[in-house]
Amino acid sequence: MNIILFGPPAAGKGTQAKLLVERHGMVQLSTGDMLRAEIASGSDLGKKVKDILAAGLLVSDEIVIDLITANLPRAEAAGGAIFDGFPRTLAQAEALDKLLGSRGSLIDRVVRLKVDEKALVERIEKRFHDQGRADDNPETYKERLAVYNAQTAPLLPYYAAQGKLREVDGMGPVEDIAARIESALA
């Protein structure tokens, strides 16, 4: 089974993906984690990505799709992928459908975590102070949210038209949200 966890930055996608990995043995493909690993490696790509993220912008489709393609065999071997932070644009969604189709697979379910923007700001500020992640700087967060609303939110109708979209209340205790996601996957 291939799942996309969908929602704005700080909606809890990463936390819920990790719980799904524990329960189902699938592989989490977090573009954020992959990009942070590139930055930490000090590679040329990592330096380029660091500048893009620091400006609150999205990394190019080509870079992200290459990262997904490189990591997909590991997910296939585990029985499925949980896409966290990908796709972010219609072009990426179409590329993912094509990539999976060429491998005899598809996206089975898209779970949208619904949260309000005030709660997101509080989450991002807490995560920035607790974890010190540079891409969670509260000053750049508003730009990330604006980019999400402009470029990523339009994916909702794309997946709804395919009958794959399920919306889940993303507010409340982590365990309650996890139970709602499990119900949405059934």
Side-chain angles (χ1 to χ4, degrees), residues 31-90:
T31 53
D33 289 348
M34 289 185 252
L35 292 169
R36 281 186 288 279
E38 280 296 324
I39 292 168
S41 76
S43 69
D44 289 339
L45 175 60
K47 292 172 187 172
K48 182 177 179 181
V49 167
K50 182 178 180 179
D51 291 341
I52 293 167
L53 294 179
L57 303 174
L58 294 178
V59 177
S60 76
D61 290 350
E62 180 182 352
I63 291 171
V64 176
I65 291 165
D66 285 348
L67 287 171
I68 292 293
T69 302
N71 285 277
L72 201 51
R74 185 170 49 97
E76 291 168 338
I82 302 162
F83 294 94
D84 166 12
F86 181 84
R88 291 185 187 244
T89 65
L90 185 55

Coordinates of all heavy atoms in Angstrom, one line a residue, residues 31-90:
T31 N 10.5 13.7 2.2 CA 11.4 14.6 1.4 C 12.2 15.5 2.3 O 13.4 15.8 2.0 CB 10.7 15.3 0.3 OG1 9.6 16.0 0.9 CG2 10.2 14.4 -0.8
G32 N 11.5 16.0 3.3 CA 12.2 16.9 4.3 C 13.4 16.2 4.9 O 14.5 16.8 5.0
D33 N 13.3 15.0 5.4 CA 14.4 14.3 5.9 C 15.5 14.0 4.9 O 16.7 14.2 5.2 CB 13.9 12.9 6.5 CG 13.1 13.1 7.8 OD1 13.0 14.2 8.3 OD2 12.5 12.0 8.2
M34 N 15.1 13.7 3.7 CA 16.1 13.4 2.6 C 16.8 14.7 2.3 O 18.1 14.7 2.1 CB 15.4 12.9 1.4 CG 14.9 11.4 1.5 SD 14.3 10.8 -0.1 CE 12.5 10.8 0.3
L35 N 16.1 15.8 2.3 CA 16.8 17.1 2.0 C 17.7 17.5 3.1 O 18.8 18.0 2.8 CB 15.7 18.2 1.7 CG 14.9 17.9 0.4 CD1 13.7 18.9 0.3 CD2 15.8 18.1 -0.9
R36 N 17.2 17.3 4.4 CA 18.1 17.7 5.5 C 19.4 16.8 5.5 O 20.5 17.3 5.9 CB 17.3 17.6 6.8 CG 16.4 18.8 7.1 CD 15.8 18.7 8.4 NE 14.7 17.7 8.5 CZ 13.5 17.8 8.1 NH1 13.1 19.0 7.5 NH2 12.6 16.9 8.2
A37 N 19.2 15.6 5.1 CA 20.4 14.7 5.0 C 21.4 15.2 4.0 O 22.6 15.2 4.2 CB 20.0 13.3 4.7
E38 N 20.9 15.7 2.9 CA 21.8 16.3 1.8 C 22.5 17.5 2.4 O 23.7 17.7 2.1 CB 21.0 16.6 0.6 CG 20.7 15.5 -0.3 CD 21.9 14.8 -1.0 OE1 22.9 15.5 -1.3 OE2 21.9 13.6 -1.1
I39 N 21.7 18.3 3.1 CA 22.3 19.5 3.7 C 23.4 19.1 4.6 O 24.6 19.7 4.6 CB 21.3 20.4 4.4 CG1 20.3 21.0 3.3 CG2 21.9 21.5 5.2 CD1 19.1 21.7 3.9
A40 N 23.2 18.2 5.5 CA 24.1 17.7 6.5 C 25.4 17.1 5.9 O 26.5 17.2 6.4 CB 23.5 16.7 7.5
S41 N 25.2 16.5 4.7 CA 26.3 15.9 4.0 C 27.3 16.9 3.5 O 28.5 16.6 3.2 CB 25.9 15.0 2.9 OG 25.5 15.8 1.7
G42 N 26.9 18.2 3.3 CA 27.7 19.2 2.8 C 28.0 19.2 1.3 O 28.8 19.9 0.8
S43 N 27.2 18.3 0.7 CA 27.3 18.2 -0.8 C 26.9 19.5 -1.5 O 26.3 20.3 -0.9 CB 26.4 17.0 -1.3 OG 25.1 17.4 -1.2
D44 N 27.3 19.5 -2.8 CA 26.9 20.7 -3.6 C 25.3 20.8 -3.6 O 24.8 21.9 -3.5 CB 27.4 20.6 -5.0 CG 28.9 20.8 -5.1 OD1 29.5 21.5 -4.1 OD2 29.5 20.4 -6.1
L45 N 24.7 19.7 -3.8 CA 23.2 19.7 -3.8 C 22.7 20.2 -2.4 O 21.8 21.0 -2.3 CB 22.7 18.3 -4.1 CG 21.2 18.1 -4.0 CD1 20.4 19.0 -4.9 CD2 20.7 16.7 -4.2
G46 N 23.3 19.7 -1.3 CA 22.9 20.1 0.0 C 23.1 21.6 0.2 O 22.2 22.2 0.8
K47 N 24.1 22.2 -0.3 CA 24.3 23.7 -0.2 C 23.2 24.4 -0.9 O 22.7 25.4 -0.5 CB 25.7 24.1 -0.7 CG 26.8 23.6 0.2 CD 28.2 23.8 -0.4 CE 29.3 23.1 0.4 NZ 30.6 23.2 -0.2
K48 N 22.9 23.9 -2.1 CA 21.9 24.5 -2.9 C 20.5 24.4 -2.2 O 19.8 25.4 -2.2 CB 21.8 23.9 -4.3 CG 20.8 24.4 -5.3 CD 20.9 23.7 -6.6 CE 19.9 24.2 -7.6 NZ 20.0 23.6 -8.9
V49 N 20.2 23.3 -1.7 CA 18.9 23.0 -1.0 C 18.8 23.9 0.2 O 17.8 24.5 0.5 CB 18.8 21.5 -0.7 CG1 17.7 21.3 0.3 CG2 18.6 20.7 -1.9
K50 N 19.9 24.1 0.9 CA 19.9 24.9 2.1 C 19.5 26.3 1.8 O 18.7 26.9 2.5 CB 21.3 24.9 2.8 CG 21.4 25.7 4.1 CD 22.8 25.6 4.7 CE 22.9 26.4 6.0 NZ 24.2 26.3 6.6
D51 N 20.0 26.9 0.8 CA 19.7 28.3 0.4 C 18.2 28.4 0.0 O 17.5 29.3 0.3 CB 20.6 28.7 -0.8 CG 22.0 28.9 -0.4 OD1 22.3 29.1 0.8 OD2 22.9 29.0 -1.3
I52 N 17.7 27.4 -0.7 CA 16.3 27.4 -1.2 C 15.4 27.3 0.0 O 14.4 28.1 0.2 CB 16.0 26.2 -2.1 CG1 16.8 26.4 -3.5 CG2 14.5 26.0 -2.4 CD1 16.9 25.1 -4.3
L53 N 15.7 26.4 1.0 CA 14.8 26.2 2.1 C 14.9 27.4 3.1 O 13.9 27.8 3.7 CB 15.2 24.9 2.9 CG 14.9 23.6 2.2 CD1 15.4 22.5 3.1 CD2 13.5 23.5 1.8
A54 N 16.1 28.0 3.2 CA 16.2 29.2 4.0 C 15.4 30.4 3.5 O 14.9 31.2 4.3 CB 17.7 29.6 4.1
A55 N 15.1 30.4 2.2 CA 14.3 31.4 1.7 C 12.8 31.1 1.8 O 11.9 31.9 1.3 CB 14.7 31.7 0.2
G56 N 12.5 29.9 2.3 CA 11.1 29.5 2.4 C 10.5 29.0 1.1 O 9.2 28.9 1.0
L57 N 11.3 28.6 0.2 CA 10.8 28.2 -1.1 C 10.8 26.7 -1.2 O 11.4 26.0 -0.4 CB 11.7 28.8 -2.2 CG 11.8 30.3 -2.2 CD1 12.8 30.8 -3.3 CD2 10.4 30.9 -2.5
L58 N 10.2 26.2 -2.3 CA 10.1 24.7 -2.5 C 11.3 24.3 -3.4 O 11.7 25.1 -4.3 CB 8.9 24.3 -3.3 CG 7.6 24.5 -2.5 CD1 6.4 24.1 -3.4 CD2 7.6 23.6 -1.2
V59 N 11.9 23.2 -3.1 CA 13.0 22.6 -3.9 C 12.4 22.2 -5.3 O 11.2 21.8 -5.4 CB 13.6 21.4 -3.2 CG1 14.7 20.8 -4.0 CG2 14.2 21.9 -1.9
S60 N 13.2 22.2 -6.4 CA 12.7 21.9 -7.7 C 12.1 20.5 -7.8 O 12.6 19.6 -7.1 CB 13.8 22.1 -8.7 OG 14.7 21.0 -8.7
D61 N 11.1 20.3 -8.7 CA 10.5 19.0 -8.9 C 11.6 18.0 -9.2 O 11.6 16.8 -8.8 CB 9.5 19.1 -10.0 CG 8.2 19.8 -9.5 OD1 8.1 20.2 -8.3 OD2 7.4 20.1 -10.4
E62 N 12.5 18.4 -10.1 CA 13.6 17.4 -10.6 C 14.4 16.9 -9.4 O 14.6 15.6 -9.3 CB 14.5 18.1 -11.5 CG 15.6 17.2 -12.1 CD 16.5 18.0 -13.0 OE1 16.2 19.1 -13.4 OE2 17.5 17.4 -13.4
I63 N 14.8 17.7 -8.5 CA 15.6 17.2 -7.3 C 14.8 16.3 -6.5 O 15.2 15.2 -6.1 CB 16.1 18.5 -6.5 CG1 17.2 19.2 -7.3 CG2 16.7 18.0 -5.2 CD1 17.5 20.6 -6.6
V64 N 13.6 16.7 -6.2 CA 12.7 15.9 -5.3 C 12.4 14.5 -5.9 O 12.4 13.5 -5.3 CB 11.5 16.7 -4.9 CG1 10.5 15.8 -4.0 CG2 11.9 17.9 -4.1
I65 N 12.0 14.5 -7.2 CA 11.7 13.3 -7.9 C 12.9 12.4 -7.9 O 12.7 11.1 -7.8 CB 11.0 13.6 -9.2 CG1 9.7 14.3 -9.0 CG2 10.9 12.3 -10.1 CD1 9.1 14.9 -10.2
D66 N 14.1 12.9 -8.1 CA 15.3 12.1 -8.1 C 15.5 11.4 -6.8 O 15.8 10.2 -6.7 CB 16.5 12.9 -8.5 CG 16.6 13.2 -10.0 OD1 15.8 12.6 -10.8 OD2 17.4 14.1 -10.4
L67 N 15.2 12.2 -5.7 CA 15.4 11.6 -4.4 C 14.3 10.5 -4.1 O 14.7 9.4 -3.6 CB 15.2 12.7 -3.3 CG 16.3 13.7 -3.1 CD1 15.9 14.8 -2.2 CD2 17.6 13.0 -2.6
I68 N 13.1 10.7 -4.5 CA 12.0 9.7 -4.4 C 12.4 8.4 -5.2 O 12.3 7.3 -4.7 CB 10.7 10.3 -4.8 CG1 10.2 11.4 -3.9 CG2 9.6 9.1 -5.0 CD1 9.9 10.9 -2.5
T69 N 12.8 8.6 -6.4 CA 13.1 7.5 -7.3 C 14.3 6.7 -6.7 O 14.2 5.4 -6.7 CB 13.5 8.0 -8.7 OG1 12.5 8.8 -9.3 CG2 13.9 6.9 -9.6
A70 N 15.2 7.3 -6.1 CA 16.4 6.6 -5.5 C 16.0 5.8 -4.3 O 16.6 4.7 -4.0 CB 17.5 7.6 -5.2
N71 N 14.9 6.2 -3.6 CA 14.5 5.6 -2.4 C 13.3 4.6 -2.5 O 13.0 3.9 -1.6 CB 14.2 6.6 -1.3 CG 15.4 7.3 -0.7 OD1 16.1 6.7 0.2 ND2 15.8 8.4 -1.3
L72 N 12.7 4.6 -3.7 CA 11.5 3.8 -3.9 C 11.7 2.3 -3.8 O 10.9 1.6 -3.2 CB 10.9 4.2 -5.3 CG 9.4 3.9 -5.4 CD1 8.5 4.4 -4.3 CD2 8.9 4.4 -6.8
P73 N 12.8 1.8 -4.3 CA 13.0 0.3 -4.2 C 13.0 -0.2 -2.7 O 12.5 -1.3 -2.5 CB 14.4 0.1 -4.8 CG 14.6 1.2 -5.8 CD 13.9 2.4 -5.1
R74 N 13.5 0.6 -1.8 CA 13.5 0.2 -0.4 C 12.0 0.1 0.1 O 11.7 -0.8 0.8 CB 14.3 1.2 0.4 CG 14.4 0.9 1.9 CD 15.5 1.9 2.5 NE 15.2 3.3 2.2 CZ 14.6 4.1 3.0 NH1 14.1 3.7 4.2 NH2 14.4 5.4 2.7
A75 N 11.2 1.0 -0.3 CA 9.8 1.0 0.1 C 9.0 -0.1 -0.6 O 8.2 -0.8 0.1 CB 9.1 2.4 -0.3
E76 N 9.3 -0.4 -1.8 CA 8.7 -1.5 -2.5 C 9.0 -2.8 -1.8 O 8.1 -3.7 -1.6 CB 9.1 -1.6 -3.9 CG 8.6 -0.4 -4.7 CD 9.2 -0.2 -6.1 OE1 10.3 -0.7 -6.3 OE2 8.6 0.4 -7.0
A77 N 10.2 -3.0 -1.4 CA 10.6 -4.2 -0.7 C 9.9 -4.4 0.7 O 9.7 -5.5 1.1 CB 12.2 -4.2 -0.5
A78 N 9.5 -3.3 1.3 CA 8.9 -3.3 2.6 C 7.3 -3.4 2.4 O 6.6 -3.5 3.4 CB 9.2 -2.1 3.4
G79 N 6.8 -3.4 1.2 CA 5.4 -3.5 1.0 C 4.6 -2.2 0.9 O 3.4 -2.2 0.8
G80 N 5.4 -1.1 0.8 CA 4.7 0.2 0.5 C 5.4 1.4 1.1 O 6.3 1.2 1.9
A81 N 5.0 2.5 0.7 CA 5.6 3.8 1.1 C 4.6 4.7 1.7 O 3.4 4.7 1.4 CB 6.2 4.5 -0.1
I82 N 5.1 5.5 2.7 CA 4.3 6.6 3.2 C 5.0 7.8 2.8 O 6.1 8.1 3.2 CB 4.3 6.5 4.8 CG1 3.7 5.2 5.2 CG2 3.5 7.7 5.3 CD1 4.0 4.8 6.6
F83 N 4.4 8.5 1.8 CA 5.0 9.8 1.3 C 4.6 10.9 2.2 O 3.5 11.2 2.5 CB 4.5 10.1 -0.1 CG 4.9 9.0 -1.1 CD1 4.1 7.9 -1.4 CD2 6.2 9.1 -1.7 CE1 4.6 7.0 -2.3 CE2 6.6 8.2 -2.6 CZ 5.8 7.1 -2.9
D84 N 5.7 11.6 2.8 CA 5.5 12.6 3.7 C 6.2 13.9 3.2 O 7.4 13.9 3.1 CB 6.2 12.1 5.0 CG 6.4 13.2 6.1 OD1 5.9 14.3 5.9 OD2 7.2 13.0 7.0
G85 N 5.4 14.8 2.8 CA 6.0 16.1 2.2 C 6.1 16.0 0.7 O 6.8 16.8 0.1
F86 N 5.6 15.0 0.1 CA 5.6 14.8 -1.3 C 4.4 14.0 -1.8 O 4.0 13.1 -1.1 CB 6.9 14.0 -1.7 CG 7.0 13.7 -3.2 CD1 7.6 14.7 -4.0 CD2 6.5 12.6 -3.8 CE1 7.7 14.5 -5.4 CE2 6.6 12.4 -5.2 CZ 7.2 13.3 -5.9
P87 N 3.7 14.4 -2.8 CA 4.0 15.5 -3.7 C 3.6 16.9 -3.2 O 2.7 16.9 -2.3 CB 3.3 15.2 -5.0 CG 2.1 14.4 -4.5 CD 2.6 13.6 -3.3
R88 N 4.2 17.9 -3.6 CA 3.8 19.3 -3.2 C 3.2 20.1 -4.3 O 2.6 21.2 -4.1 CB 5.0 20.0 -2.7 CG 5.5 19.5 -1.4 CD 6.6 20.3 -0.8 NE 7.3 19.7 0.3 CZ 7.2 20.2 1.5 NH1 6.6 21.4 1.7 NH2 7.8 19.6 2.5
T89 N 3.3 19.6 -5.6 CA 2.7 20.4 -6.7 C 2.0 19.4 -7.6 O 2.2 18.1 -7.5 CB 3.8 21.0 -7.5 OG1 4.7 20.0 -8.1 CG2 4.7 22.0 -6.7
L90 N 1.2 19.9 -8.5 CA 0.4 19.0 -9.4 C 1.4 18.3 -10.3 O 1.3 17.1 -10.6 CB -0.6 19.8 -10.2 CG -1.5 19.0 -11.2 CD1 -2.2 18.0 -10.4 CD2 -2.4 20.0 -11.9

